[in-house]
Amino acid sequence: MHSSLFDALTAEEIRTVTRLVRAEGIGGPRPGFGAVFTDEPDKALLRAGVQVPRRARALVVDRTVGHSYDVLVDLARGKVVSSLVIENGAAPMLAEEIEILTETLKADPRFVEALAKRGVTELTQVQCDPWGVANRAELGIDGKRLWAAISYLRHGPDDNGYAHPIEGVVGVVNMVHRTVVAVHDYGVRPMNESCSNYTPEHHQPMRTDIAPLEILQPEGVGFHIDGPELTWQKWRLRVNMHPIDGLVLHGVEYKDASGYRSIMHRGSLAEMVVPYGDPHDEHYWRSAFDAGEYGLGKMANSLTLGCDCLGEIVYLDAVMADDFGEPTVIKNAVCIHEEDAGILWKHTDWVTGKVDVRRSRKLVVSFIATVGNYHYGFYWNLFQDGHLEVDVKLLGIVQTRAVEADEVTPHGTRIAENLVATYHQHLFSFRLDMEVDGWENSVYQNDVDAIPVGPENPHGNAMGLTRTLIARENDGDWLTNPQTARSWSVVNPGKTNRWGVPVGYKLLPGWASDTLIAQAPSLIAQRAGFATRNLWVTPYSPAEMHSGGDHPNQDRSGAGLSTWTKANRGVEHTDVVLWHTLGVTHIPRSEDWPVMPTEVASFMLVPTNFFDQNPALDVPANKPKHCGTGDAACH
């Protein structure tokens, strides 16, 4: 469904939202704008031919009292449609709250005293990282706006503060009153004094045996961009940025002889959670909902040619609302480029000796967000054979804690003197609003097993495919299972390929398919219920966009998928949404310090009987001049 109604807000539309919110007095005299984004219309209304107005939503903070509001604006009429006080949860973090947190803590005598006990007296060298407080059951959070701080010592402006955690000190700050609610001192630990920096001057000499590698497209890029619409070979889609979700793809289609065919209406991250596994009082509550608490799109990096992306690059800017509702531009937020992807297909005819081989190429659409010590790269890869791969790249610096020299550390790995990197998980929930050759789809769980030896399998070699229809939300097993090669297929029962098989696309999970380890009575187990399954299937609802609910900041209600699916709604032959959880359980290594090599979690969407045959047979062979020296054919 290609419609500009789903596209990201323009700068002028953001200004309109801000003006209307202020005119209505929503958020008091100093409204803070945690997120402003498109309110995407109900697809059912569009299919029915209803004229739907362009609308926006704003998550607004009243900075004078701490209340949060979810505001709906009709942009066409220039009118606020509704403004609801958020009862469970709060709007995402405001940028200014990081500064308020730091300044308020450093002015508090209890915090200063706790630092002095650890030999830290130069407060300009203290770095305070903000953390959500919803996992701390003893804190009353209703109607308040609180953030906690974990502190680190920097020996200089460019020093790696995570090498010097100020262990045992946790400050909680009320953002509205700018007061310190509590300073917890859980005991002094020795601080690692050695610096662990990662920049070139600290790691001389650098390697000298790396040959130049250049990627050139002398005729320019092979794709075309018209506003948010992107076309490349047989693919067509729309690319947008969302302040919470980050990169969003809409209207993903692939063209064959019959024209463009729909695959997915909308694909994006719907939430992520990073729970830590240390049970000590100063650590047990640490987790981050990086989308809903902080806003991944707002944290997008401005990418740099030759570093984050390589080759012939086209960039897209992102327009976001700042704390005051003014549009701000993140230059080069989205990177679009083509990459060689190895062999697409090949056959050597052993009878004739003839070789046919085609090189594969992929189109990559990506962005990178920085949230504190970690960075996350989200890469949507489109291939010539009609399949998609989604890669999440984990980068940055591991979370650390200080320990005694002889302390047993069953929940972390020693990486330096008196320094441990804590066990944790990174769990990502993707919302995949599928429309496989139309919107009336069904979902099947696929498992491959050995058929019991007997009349149907006398020789013991037979394999069988069990396809389990997901007729209702709680049907199926919902966890990956490599022993049965488990996958899930979205099919259109009303359309078949040339061979009479219903057309479909298969969700193929990757190796990094971990689910949540935390359990009751932890609040994170309640708040991140979406991460307990690898797959959820729900009927499409425009009100269900985020796996952990729309307002996970300070929310303890258990909103989101685990609540919605209690109704066990029907999901057969209808408009369905897949929610896929993937991620890694990170048991840090010494090799992850002082900055970790990239770790990748992935999944694929693969055409399954969607085409009558291999759709990439029309990809031409590479010209000989592009082959390596001495190669008879391009491999």
Side-chain angles (χ1 to χ4, degrees), residues 305-327:
L305 183 65
C307 297
D308 299 290
C309 300
L310 187 63
E312 297 290 331
I313 310 298
V314 172
Y315 292 106
L316 300 180
D317 298 340
V319 181
M320 302 287 171
D322 66 12
D323 288 359
F324 301 94
E326 292 299 315

Side-chain angles (χ1 to χ4, degrees), residues 25 42 109 112 133 161 176 202 237 253 280 404 419 426 470 525 541 583 594 622:
D42 188 335
V112 174
V133 299
V176 173
H202 298 286
L237 61 149
E253 300 173 327
H280 292 86
E404 299 283 356
L419 195 66
H426 301 264
I470 308 302
S541 169
N622 278 22

Side-chain angles (χ1 to χ4, degrees), residues 505-557:
Y505 257 76
K506 176 170 63 178
L507 171 62
L508 191 62
W511 68 268
S513 296
D514 298 3
T515 54
L516 185 68
I517 293 174
Q519 57 192 318
S522 71
L523 282 169
I524 190 60
Q526 178 174 318
R527 298 176 63 218
F530 65 86
T532 60
R533 294 181 179 182
N534 290 117
L535 193 81
W536 308 73
V537 180
T538 63
Y540 165 78
S541 169
E544 297 176 1
M545 299 296 290
H546 296 106
S547 315
D550 285 342
H551 317 115
N553 183 22
Q554 296 191 181
D555 184 15
R556 295 169 177 163
S557 70

